[in-house]
Amino acid sequence: MAAMTRIVDILRQQPVGSVVEVNGWLRTRRDSGSLAFLELNDGSCLANLQVLAEEGLANYETEVKKLSTGCSLRVRGTLVASPAKGQAVEVRAEAVEVIGWADPETYPLQKKRHSFEFLRAIAHLRPRTNALGAVARVRSALCFAIHRFFHEQGFIQVQTPVITTSDCEGAGEMFTVTTLEPGQMQGADPFAADFFGRRAGLTVSGQLQAEIFALSHGRVYTFGPTFRAENSNTSRHLAEFWMLEPEMAFCDLGGDMAMAETMIKALVAAALTECAEDLALFDQHVAKGLIDRLTQVRDRPFVHLTYTEAVTELAHARRDFAFPVRWGVDLQAEHERYLCEDVAQAPVIVTNYPEAIKPFYMRLDDDGRTVAAMDILVAGIGELVGGSQREERYEVLAARMAAAGLDMEQYGWYLDLRRFGSVPHAGFGLGFERLVQFVTGMQNIRDVIPFPRTPGSAPC
């Protein structure tokens, strides 16, 4: 079966008088005398294509007048100028073929606004709605923009493993991958007889493996699914999510921050240019003022604060926080949002966090108390990017790994990178779903990923 013309191309490119053939799903049918007005959508854009079906059609009485929301159709007809407000063209149908019926008594997506919570319960149908369809298009555009940006910046893409034996964050929140039955996990080394001969899990980050290629190819990035077995059932957490992780050799913290800021601005600019119609929907119905906020992010420089300066700002804040603020504790989402929404009124890059609250691989500063780390905070989200200059000094890294209780033999390959041609290098991680949240204004992270995986829930 040949592919039909997309609705987005019909609305933007096809001249009046063209004969078109289009597939799609019926949003609504409205009857007026001897005419049926059909609103057709195929997911290629937010706008529907209006089809005029006249009673002269062979199946007008038997099928057209029985059509309901959700039916799939193939329409052939002539593109004509539309007298209706809000649309330039419409199709005068010469044939309307019903591909698949949708029972109006049981089809859950009727012509009304549904809550996002309800739509999560029908993950297999929610992409057909305006908001979730728009999220999918924005997500796709941002994904492409990421690859385009790093290609233009001279990065090489590396596919890091989904199954790994390295816990990058050292938090022990990995899903275990095993072929053993529970009764087979016995002895001092219960995974010795397992598929890989040792304990393996789903990756929490591709960073450590990306460092291998950064130290041979200079600039690399990895972009793929990551997993956290964190029993957190909130609007900010997922068990499966996508991470973008660039790594750069011969790079310090300053270069890392500059690259991350440039990237965010480029991705926001791409969304504003390529997803204008969808962002207008979010601006109107989901997050008022969204487009103005994104435009400011694109056009204004980010504000820089050290962790110590940030704590001072928070300590003098004229508001109460649910989590107390003091030097040495990690910033919470409420603190991060306050810094960028109330203090700076712009994205904030916080640097030089206490070494005790950051992973072993971050470079120790000269004061011995902080590390060359940075987080980029944005309004509505909090932390969007987290990164650091990596510890390139063998002795310092080995000491920090030992203090963290890591198996030095298991991570011997990581230490080798510091033994053989070590160089200063840096990188960062961006949670892709948080980026999509930021660009769309959606409040719950479960609504910006096609199939959310959370504690107790894995639909489809």
Side-chain angles (χ1 to χ4, degrees):
M1 183 184 297
M4 302 294 115
T5 305
R6 299 184 308 160
I7 286 177
V8 66
D9 296 326
I10 290 175
L11 294 177
R12 295 176 182 175
Q13 301 173 11
Q14 297 292 322
V16 170
S18 301
V19 175
V20 297
E21 195 163 1
V22 62
N23 295 326
W25 292 268
L26 185 67
R27 289 293 178 85
T28 63
R29 186 196 89 233
R30 177 173 59 86
D31 298 326
S32 178
S34 59
L35 279 176
F37 295 90
L38 311 178
E39 294 288 336
L40 204 63
N41 191 283
D42 66 355
S44 62
C45 61
L46 179 64
N48 299 325
L49 178 65
Q50 180 164 279
V51 176
L52 279 65
E54 300 176 283
E55 63 179 353
L57 294 174
N59 61 343
Y60 184 79
E61 292 292 337
T62 58
E63 292 187 325
V64 172
K65 293 194 69 175
K66 297 178 182 179
L67 292 172
S68 58
T69 300
C71 291
S72 54
L73 309 176
R74 178 179 295 118
V75 174
R76 180 169 51 83
T78 303
L79 201 62
V80 298
S82 176
K85 183 179 179 181
Q87 58 187 26
V89 293
E90 57 192 19
V91 173
R92 187 172 298 277
E94 298 168 8
V96 175
E97 178 185 356
V98 182
I99 305 299
W101 294 92
D103 182 3
E105 298 297 322
T106 57
Y107 186 62
L109 295 176
Q110 295 304 314
K111 190 182 177 182
K112 63 178 183 179
R113 182 171 295 181
H114 300 285
S115 71
F116 292 128
E117 184 178 9
F118 168 75
L119 294 176
R120 281 177 225 129
I122 51 171
H124 57 298
L125 295 174
R126 69 176 187 164
R128 302 185 187 187
T129 63
N130 283 342
L132 275 298
V135 167
R137 287 186 293 271
V138 171
R139 186 181 172 101
S140 177
L142 287 171
C143 183
F144 182 78
I146 283 171
H147 292 295
R148 180 175 60 212
F149 173 83
F150 284 106
H151 177 75
E152 292 172 351
Q153 294 289 330
F155 282 70
I156 294 172
Q157 184 182 11
V158 175
Q159 287 78 30
T160 53
V162 171
I163 299 175
T164 182
T165 56
S166 302
D167 182 2
C168 177
E169 300 301 321
E173 295 171 344
M174 296 176 68
F175 287 99
T176 298
V177 175
T178 180
T179 59
L180 299 177
E181 297 294 333
Q184 296 176 293
M185 298 180 187
Q186 299 175 356
D189 188 359
F191 294 95
D194 208 349
F195 189 89
F196 296 105
R198 60 195 294 189
R199 186 168 189 170
L202 298 179
T203 183
V204 298
S205 169
Q207 176 205 311
L208 301 188
Q209 290 86 357
E211 285 188 55
I212 295 173
F213 279 82
L215 295 177
S216 63
H217 289 69
R219 286 185 168 192
V220 303
Y221 74 102
T222 180
F223 183 34
T226 53
F227 308 84
R228 295 279 172 90
E230 181 181 3
N231 191 17
S232 182
N233 226 329
T234 75
S235 62
R236 289 170 46 85
H237 295 93
L238 292 166
E240 177 184 343
F241 52 98
W242 281 62
M243 283 287 289
L244 167 67
E245 297 175 290
E247 287 289 328
M248 296 162 285
F250 307 100
C251 182
D252 60 10
L253 182 62
D256 199 35
M257 292 188 291
M259 182 61 71
E261 180 174 349
T262 301
M263 178 201 69
I264 291 173
K265 289 179 178 294
L267 297 181
V268 168
L272 286 168
T273 301
E274 300 166 20
C275 306
E277 184 183 35
D278 291 320
L279 293 187
L281 170 74
F282 294 121
D283 195 311
Q284 181 177 358
H285 297 292
V286 175
K288 300 290 185 183
L290 173 68
I291 293 176
D292 285 342
R293 290 195 293 275
L294 293 177
T295 301
Q296 291 176 16
V297 170
R298 181 194 64 188
D299 296 342
R300 296 182 182 177
F302 293 3
V303 174
H304 289 239
L305 292 173
T306 65
Y307 169 86
T308 300
E309 292 169 337
V311 169
T312 300
E313 289 282 358
L314 293 165
H316 291 91
R318 295 181 177 179
R319 57 164 290 183
D320 295 325
F321 295 109
F323 295 90
V325 180
R326 59 180 174 81
W327 201 97
V329 300
D330 208 357
L331 302 183
Q332 301 295 318
E334 60 175 341
H335 307 142
E336 295 168 340
R337 292 186 58 178
Y338 175 81
L339 290 171
C340 53
E341 294 172 11
D342 295 82
V343 176
Q345 297 182 345
V348 174
I349 305 180
V350 179
T351 62
N352 305 101
Y353 283 78
E355 63 89 17
I357 62 173
K358 289 298 183 180
F360 68 91
Y361 53 76
M362 295 188 175
R363 194 182 199 277
L364 191 66
D365 290 330
D366 292 341
D367 62 11
R369 300 176 68 230
T370 60
V371 289
M374 66 94 177
D375 288 344
I376 299 182
L377 317 178
V378 295
I381 300 295
E383 180 189 336
L384 179 63
V385 166
S388 73
Q389 182 174 341
R390 314 314 189 188
E391 183 57 76
E392 85 279 11
R393 298 165 294 184
Y394 179 91
E395 294 80 6
V396 179
L397 179 61
R400 294 203 70 202
M401 291 173 68
L406 296 180
D407 184 332
M408 305 297 275
E409 182 178 349
Q410 180 180 347
Y411 287 87
W413 63 269
Y414 192 65
L415 285 167
D416 274 355
L417 298 177
R418 277 68 180 173
R419 294 174 61 214
F420 307 127
S422 183
V423 301
H425 58 289
F428 59 84
L430 175 142
F432 186 55
E433 281 70 35
R434 288 192 179 184
L435 174 67
V436 180
Q437 267 192 285
F438 178 61
V439 169
T440 61
M442 297 290 281
Q443 294 299 303
N444 196 310
I445 200 166
R446 304 177 195 197
D447 298 324
V448 295
I449 190 168
F451 304 102
R453 268 69 175 119
T454 56
S457 177
C460 302

